[in-house]
Amino acid sequence: MSRGRRAGRFVLSLGGVVVASFAMLHLIPGDPVRAALGPTAPREAVERRRAELGLDRPLLDQFLAYVGGVFRGDLGESFLSRRPAAEIVADRLPATVQLVVATMLLALAVAVPLGMWVAARTENGRGRRTDLAFTTTTGALSVIPEFLLAVGMVAVLGVTLGWLPVAGKDGAASFVMPVLALAAGPTALLARLVRVETLRELGSDYVRLARAKRLPTHRVYFRHLLPNTLTATLTTGGLLLCSLLGGSVVIEYVFQWPGLGGATVDAIVNKDYALAQAAVLVYGTVSLTVLLAVDVALGLLDPRSALRSRG
Amino acid sequence: MRTLSARVGLALVAVTLVLAVVGPWVWGEEAVRFDPLHTLEGHSSAHWLGTDDGGRDMLARTLAATRLSVWLAFLATLIGACLGVTLGALPSVLGPRGARAVTAVINGLVAIPVLLLAMFAALVAGTGTTGAVVGIGVASAPGLARLTRTLAAGVEGADYVLAARMLGTGRLRVLTRHVLPNIAEPLILSVTASLGYALLGLATLSLLGLGVRPPEYDWGRLLHDALPRVYVDPEVIAGPALAVAVAGIGFTLVGESLARAAARAPVPPGDGEEADVPLGRSPRPGPSGALLEVRDLTVSFGGVTPVRGVSFGVAPGEVVGIVGESGSGKSLTALAVGGLVPYPGRVRGSVLLEGRPLLSLSRSELGTRLAMVFQDPMAALNPALRVGPQLAETGTVHLGLTRRSALARAVARLERTGVPGARARAHPHELSGGMRQRAVIAMGLMGDPRLIVADEPTTALDATVQRRVLDLLAEINAASGTAALLISHDIAVVSSRCSRVLVMYAGRIVEELPSDALRSARHPYTRALVASVPTLDTDRAEPLATIPGAQPAPSDVPAGCAFAPRCARATSLCTTALPAFESGVACHHPHEERPRAGEEEW
C-alpha cells in the first residue's frame, strides 16, 4: 500500500472511531442522563445535567462540539467525579501501557526462540515427543482464558504461598503475576505461529541452497530464516497486541491494577457515559496506531512488501 | 476426531451438557437455600467449597449455574453467527465498489479487541444479561464475517460460479445457489468453535460485573462475587473457575478439532516398514580417478524407495546428464550427491568426491568444492537479503575473507556470470529470472568448485533464457574445467550439453550412453524418450510420439523391469526378473547396437 493510501485509511479509521464514540451515547435506548442519575433523581436535576452536557442541542451541533473538543484534548467530564475525562485517561493510561508493553516483550522474547527451536527439532516429522509436548502445552495455554490463570495465580502464588503481591502496582514484583497471566495465551499462539512459519521456510529452496553452501546452522537460522518469518510474526503480533488491550481489562480488574481498563469497567458499571466515551476513543486510537506501526514496520523490514502492494 | 485433544474436548463437553440439563433440577433448590447462620464460610464438611454471602452452597450454585452459562453462550453465538454471516455475505450481493467498502469495514472491525467491543456493545444494549449476550454476539460477528468473506471470495473465483455469472445469474441467486451451500460446512464448524469463546467471553463480562445480575447467576457472576474473598478463602473461587475452565476448554478443543478436520491436510508419509529393494547388478563404477563416484546409492523414505541402487561416475571436467520423467528419482539422486537428503530419508551406498566419502569432508571443503543449482531461481535466493551479501557469505564463512574482500569477490563472480556488478546491491525480487539463476551459479562459483550439481537449472526459465544459462554452464566448464552433473527431464537439453547421459526410470539407471549415440539408444525407454522430442526432420503431419501408460510411483515399483508394462518388446521374463545392467543398458531385449537409419519402431 502506498504511503498516502495507508495514511488516508488511518485517518478514515480514526474518524470512524470518533463517530462511533459519539454515536454510542446516542444509541443508548432511553435517556442516558436519567440512566446515570438513577430513577429517583428529580426531573429538574436531570434537565439541568442535560443542558450542561449540551444534550438538548441539535445533533449536528453536539457532534461538532464533540469533535472540536476531541481536537482540543477535551474529552468531556466524568458524570460521576466531575473530573475531566482526559485527566483520568492521562492518569490511568500509563499503567496499562506498561502492563501491555511488558507482556508483549515477554511474549516475543519467549515465543520467537521457542517456536524456531521446536521447528528445528521437529522438521519433517522428527522429534515426535518434542512435537507432542509443544502442541499440548501451547494448546492448553491458548485456550485457558487469562482471568482463570490470574485467579489461579492469585490463589496459589499470592494467597496460599504468599510469594508475590496479590494486587496493586508497586514495584517489579507486582508486575510478575499480571504479566504472566496476560502473556501466557499470546505467547502460546505466537510460538505456534513462529513454528509453522519456520517449518514452511525450512522447506524452501533458499534454505536448501544455504545448506548446500554448508553454512553453519546458526547462520542458516538467524540470518537466512528469521527475516523471512518476521512478516507473519509481526502481523499476528500486532493483532495480538491489540487483543492484549482487551485482555488487560480483565487482568487489571483481577489485580486491581491502576490502569485504564479498571476505570473503563467502573465507568460502564456506573453508567458514566462520558468516561466510557473517552475510553472508546483512547482504546480505538491506540489499536489503530499499533496496526499502523506494524504496517510501517513491515514495509521497512520486508523489501518485497513495497513491491507487492504496488502490484 | 481421533486425536487426544478431540477426545478430551468431547468428554469435557459431554460433562458440561449433562450438567446443563440436570444441574438446576438436582442442585437448583440447594443453590438458592438461604442459611443466615453460615454466610461467607470457607471449606467445611457440609460445604466443600464454602458458602456465599447468603449462606448458599458454592458447589451447588456452580453446578446449577451450568444451564444458564451454556444457554447464554448459545444465544450469543446465534446472534454472532447471524450478524457475522450476513455481514460477510453482503459483499457477494453488492457491486464491486460496495463489496470493497464492506470488506474494508470488516477488516477494520476485526482489529478491534473482542472484549472491548463486547464491553461497549453491552454498554449500549444496557448492562445486564441482555447486554452481555448482545455484546458477546456483536463482538464475535467480525471474525465470522471475515471468515465468511474469505470463503465466499474463494468460491466466487471458481470456474462454475464465473460461468453462472456469465450466463446472467443474479448475484443474490449465485450467493444462495452456489456460494452459501459450498461454504456452509466450514462456517458451521467455525460457529461451533466460537461457542467456546462465547462462553468464556460471557464469563469474563459477568466477572467484571457487566453481565448477569442477581438474583440470576452464571459462573462469571459467581466468580465476581467470590473474587474479593480469594484473599481469605481461596477455595471459594475453585468451583466456578474450574467449571469455566472445563466447559470453555472443552468447547474450544472440540471446535478446533472440527475446524482441523474440515481442513484436513494429507497425512505425511509415515514410518512404514523399510522395503527390501533388490539392487540388481549395478553399472560398472566410473573411470578410475573419478571426481565423483556414486556406488549403489539407495534413498528411501519409510517404505518408499525412490532411488534404487544407482551407480555412476563423473570424471574431472566432464559434463554428465541425468534424464528421466518426474518421479524417476533423478532429483533425489542429485540431493544425495550433495548430501542434502532431508529427514526422514535414508541414504545407503557410497558417494565419493575426489575419492573421499562425502561425510568425511569438512563443511568448508564441501561448501567450496561442490556447488548446487536448484530448479527455481525465484525460490533459491533468500528474498530478505541483498544478492551481494548472500554470495559473499561463502567467502567469509568458508574462505576466511573479510567482509569487504568477500563482497569484491562476489561482484567479480556476478560479473563473470553476466550479472552487472551493481546488481549486488539489489534484492532478489529486483532481478529477472535469468539473472537470478546466474546469481545462483555465481554463488556456486564463490569457492573453486570441482563439481556443479544442477538440478533442472532451466526448467523455470523461458526458452531464450534457458539457452543462455546453459551456455554459461558450458562456458564455465570449458574455462575452468569444472565438472557438472546436469539433471533434466528434457532430453534435448541434456543431449546438447553433455558428453554422457544417464537415463533413469523408476529409481534406476536403465541406460548409460554417449549423448551423440542417443538416436541409436538400445533401451526401449530411451528410444521412446528420444522419439518424443521433435527435431527439424520430424514429420509435422504425424502426431508426436508419446509413451503409453505412466511411470510407476516409487511406492509400487513392480518386480522385474519397471518399464515392462509400457514396453512393446516386453516378454514374461521382463515382468519377473530384474534386468541386469550390462554394457550400458539394463534390458532383457535391447535393440541391437546399430539400428538401420530411419528405423523408428520400437
Side-chain angles (χ1 to χ4, degrees):
Chain A
M1 195 180 332
S2 74
R3 221 162 280 177
R5 264 188 66 188
R6 192 183 285 152
R9 207 165 73 172
F10 178 66
V11 171
L12 211 64
S13 312
L14 274 188
V17 169
V18 172
V19 173
S21 65
F22 173 78
M24 194 181 76
L25 190 58
H26 298 270
L27 284 174
I28 294 165
D31 181 355
V33 179
R34 167 60 72 190
L37 296 183
T40 54
R43 179 186 292 270
E44 306 81 71
V46 173
E47 287 306 318
R48 198 168 349 111
R49 199 83 180 83
R50 281 179 65 85
E52 265 177 44
L53 291 167
L55 290 175
D56 49 356
R57 287 190 288 159
L59 207 56
L60 189 64
D61 280 10
Q62 286 186 45
F63 180 65
L64 292 179
Y66 179 72
V67 174
V70 169
F71 271 104
R72 286 192 309 275
D74 172 11
L75 303 180
E77 75 180 18
S78 158
F79 279 21
L80 286 181
S81 65
R82 294 286 183 120
R83 278 178 71 200
E87 203 179 293
I88 299 178
V89 168
D91 265 5
R92 300 287 212 126
L93 190 58
T96 298
V97 170
Q98 283 171 18
L99 177 65
V100 169
V101 168
T103 304
M104 198 63 211
L105 292 180
L106 178 71
L108 281 175
V110 174
V112 173
L114 180 69
M116 285 182 74
W117 180 76
V118 173
R121 294 257 313 180
T122 59
E123 188 187 357
N124 289 328
R126 80 179 100 189
R128 293 278 167 85
R129 243 174 294 173
T130 311
D131 185 16
L132 189 68
F134 177 79
T135 336
T136 314
T137 316
T138 51
L141 283 180
S142 60
V143 295
I144 296 176
E146 60 273 82
F147 68 85
L148 279 186
L149 279 179
V151 167
M153 277 199 262
V154 168
V156 177
L157 297 180
V159 177
T160 312
L161 297 172
W163 288 352
L164 292 163
V166 291
K169 172 171 177 278
D170 182 24
S174 66
F175 272 83
V176 176
M177 286 201 289
V179 167
L180 282 182
L182 194 51
T187 307
L189 283 174
L190 210 53
R192 285 185 150 201
L193 178 86
V194 170
R195 178 186 173 217
V196 169
E197 285 292 309
T198 307
L199 280 179
R200 202 192 59 204
E201 297 292 327
L202 275 175
S204 68
D205 272 0
Y206 72 83
V207 169
R208 217 156 45 143
L209 192 62
R211 285 177 170 166
K213 278 155 76 181
R214 318 291 155 175
L215 297 179
T217 314
H218 64 88
R219 201 178 169 92
V220 173
Y221 278 95
F222 291 102
R223 186 147 165 77
H224 281 265
L225 215 141
L226 188 60
N228 287 294
T229 59
L230 273 183
T231 311
T233 311
L234 265 183
T235 311
T236 314
L239 285 176
L240 278 177
L241 190 56
C242 283
S243 78
L244 279 183
L245 282 177
S248 71
V249 173
V250 197
I251 294 299
E252 288 181 14
Y253 181 82
V254 173
F255 290 99
Q256 290 161 40
W257 193 260
L260 189 57
T264 309
V265 172
D266 287 343
I268 295 178
V269 171
N270 298 320
K271 300 198 159 60
D272 187 344
Y273 296 116
L275 192 51
Q277 239 178 356
V280 172
L281 208 56
V282 171
Y283 277 120
T285 311
V286 172
S287 303
L288 287 175
T289 313
V290 167
L291 291 178
L292 181 74
V294 168
D295 233 19
V296 171
L298 281 180
L300 292 178
L301 282 173
D302 187 349
R304 284 166 304 171
S305 69
L307 195 74
R308 215 170 14 222
S309 53
R310 238 180 279 148
Chain B
M1 295 310 268
R2 268 176 240 118
T3 57
L4 178 68
S5 69
R7 275 191 219 150
V8 172
L10 276 179
L12 296 181
V13 167
V15 169
T16 311
L17 290 181
V18 168
L19 282 179
V21 174
V22 303
W25 292 334
V26 180
W27 295 282
E29 236 171 273
E30 197 189 342
V32 294
R33 191 191 303 130
F34 276 97
D35 183 357
L37 295 178
H38 296 94
T39 59
L40 300 177
E41 278 182 357
H43 163 79
S44 67
S45 58
H47 304 288
W48 280 12
L49 296 178
T51 58
D52 72 353
D53 55 359
R56 294 166 293 203
D57 184 69
M58 282 301 282
L59 181 59
R61 284 176 81 71
T62 302
L63 295 172
T66 311
R67 186 182 289 177
L68 186 65
S69 304
V70 173
W71 174 239
L72 294 183
F74 179 73
L75 285 181
T77 308
L78 204 62
I79 294 176
C82 291
L83 287 177
V85 173
T86 311
L87 187 60
L90 207 54
S92 309
V93 189
L94 300 172
R97 197 172 284 230
R100 214 173 312 141
V102 175
T103 309
V105 169
I106 292 173
N107 287 337
L109 287 176
V110 169
I112 302 175
V114 174
L115 183 62
L116 290 173
L117 192 56
M119 279 167 57
F120 294 116
L123 173 68
V124 172
T127 46
T129 309
T130 325
V133 170
V134 172
I136 294 295
V138 167
S140 63
L144 282 172
R146 185 160 70 169
L147 182 72
T148 310
R149 177 66 201 131
T150 313
L151 291 172
V155 174
E156 276 162 16
D159 287 345
Y160 61 92
V161 174
L162 294 178
R165 296 274 303 138
M166 290 281 289
L167 294 173
T169 315
R171 288 201 182 91
L172 190 61
R173 198 169 159 73
V174 167
L175 178 71
T176 53
R177 289 266 313 179
H178 294 290
V179 178
L180 286 182
N182 276 302
I183 65 175
E185 194 185 331
L187 264 188
I188 290 169
L189 292 178
S190 300
V191 169
T192 318
S194 71
L195 196 62
Y197 297 112
L199 194 121
L200 296 177
L202 279 164
T204 311
L205 282 188
S206 287
L207 166 74
L208 294 174
L210 304 177
V212 175
R213 296 245 175 100
E216 284 188 291
Y217 56 97
D218 69 345
W219 290 328
R221 185 71 208 181
L222 295 178
L223 280 172
H224 175 86
D225 293 336
L227 193 58
R229 297 172 57 201
V230 76
Y231 310 113
V232 189
D233 302 313
E235 67 272 19
V236 295
I237 208 124
L242 209 62
V244 172
V246 164
I249 292 170
F251 278 113
T252 317
L253 285 182
V254 170
E256 282 187 350
S257 310
L258 286 174
R260 258 203 308 276
R264 168 69 59 214
V267 184
D271 40 1
E273 285 300 299
E274 188 109 339
D276 202 16
V277 182
L279 290 178
R281 264 245 320 277
S282 37
R284 70 196 139 74
S288 60
L291 174 68
L292 174 74
E293 209 178 313
V294 175
R295 270 192 226 135
D296 286 337
L297 179 73
T298 297
V299 182
S300 52
F301 287 85
V304 182
T305 310
V307 178
R308 314 176 153 233
V310 164
S311 299
F312 62 91
V314 177
E318 193 186 16
V319 180
V320 175
I322 300 185
V323 281
E325 294 169 69
S326 54
S328 61
K330 57 192 194 309
S331 286
L332 266 178
T333 304
L335 282 182
V337 166
L340 292 169
V341 172
Y343 180 91
R346 262 197 63 192
V347 180
R348 281 171 297 167
S350 66
V351 178
L352 306 177
L353 189 65
E354 296 181 308
R356 293 161 61 195
L358 206 61
L359 293 177
S360 73
L361 292 164
S362 75
R363 242 173 215 292
S364 290
E365 284 175 310
L366 270 176
T368 50
R369 288 188 202 174
L370 179 68
M372 301 208 59
V373 178
F374 295 116
Q375 176 172 352
D376 186 0
M378 312 290 167
L381 290 171
N382 190 329
L385 304 178
R386 288 176 200 278
V387 174
Q390 275 192 68
L391 265 74
E393 256 181 337
T394 306
T396 51
V397 173
H398 294 315
L399 302 173
L401 298 178
T402 62
R403 192 176 285 220
R404 181 188 291 261
S405 55
L407 201 58
R409 192 181 172 96
V411 171
R413 292 297 187 269
L414 281 173
E415 281 176 345
R416 157 121 201 251
T417 54
V419 180
R423 305 306 288 164
R425 299 168 57 88
H427 282 287
H429 69 261
E430 294 166 303
L431 302 183
S432 68
M435 283 279 186
R436 277 185 243 189
Q437 199 60 302
R438 285 163 189 273
V440 172
I441 294 170
M443 191 181 287
L445 297 180
M446 280 300 289
D448 271 312
R450 308 313 314 143
L451 176 69
I452 298 180
V453 178
D455 180 10
E456 305 263 9
T458 58
T459 307
L461 304 174
D462 62 54
T464 47
V465 183
Q466 279 187 7
R467 265 259 316 270
R468 280 190 231 131
V469 168
L470 289 171
D471 287 344
L472 173 63
L473 283 173
E475 190 266 318
I476 291 166
N477 170 251
S480 10
T482 310
L485 189 60
L486 184 61
I487 287 138
S488 179
H489 66 279
D490 187 345
I491 200 164
V493 164
V494 168
S495 61
S496 63
R497 306 290 165 165
C498 304
S499 50
R500 202 147 51 86
V501 177
L502 308 169
V503 182
M504 280 190 79
Y505 188 81
R508 289 200 170 86
I509 294 181
V510 294
E511 184 160 16
E512 177 188 343
L513 69 175
S515 58
D516 48 19
L518 269 170
R519 300 225 128 247
S520 56
R522 299 177 59 211
H523 197 285
Y525 176 63
T526 316
R527 288 223 167 178
L529 269 185
V530 173
S532 67
V533 178
T535 58
L536 280 178
D537 38 292
T538 307
D539 185 358
R540 299 290 143 136
E542 294 285 309
L544 210 52
T546 53
I547 312 173
Q551 181 180 237
S555 53
D556 43 39
V557 174
C561 174
F563 188 61
R566 303 169 75 183
C567 182
R569 299 171 72 98
T571 61
S572 59
L573 174 68
C574 299
T575 57
T576 50
L578 188 65
F581 191 93
E582 270 161 338
S583 54
V585 66
C587 182
H588 290 303
H589 309 290
H591 292 270
E592 65 266 30
E593 204 89 42
R594 288 256 164 238
R596 287 181 309 256
E599 188 199 52
E600 286 298 299
E601 57 88 31
W602 45 276

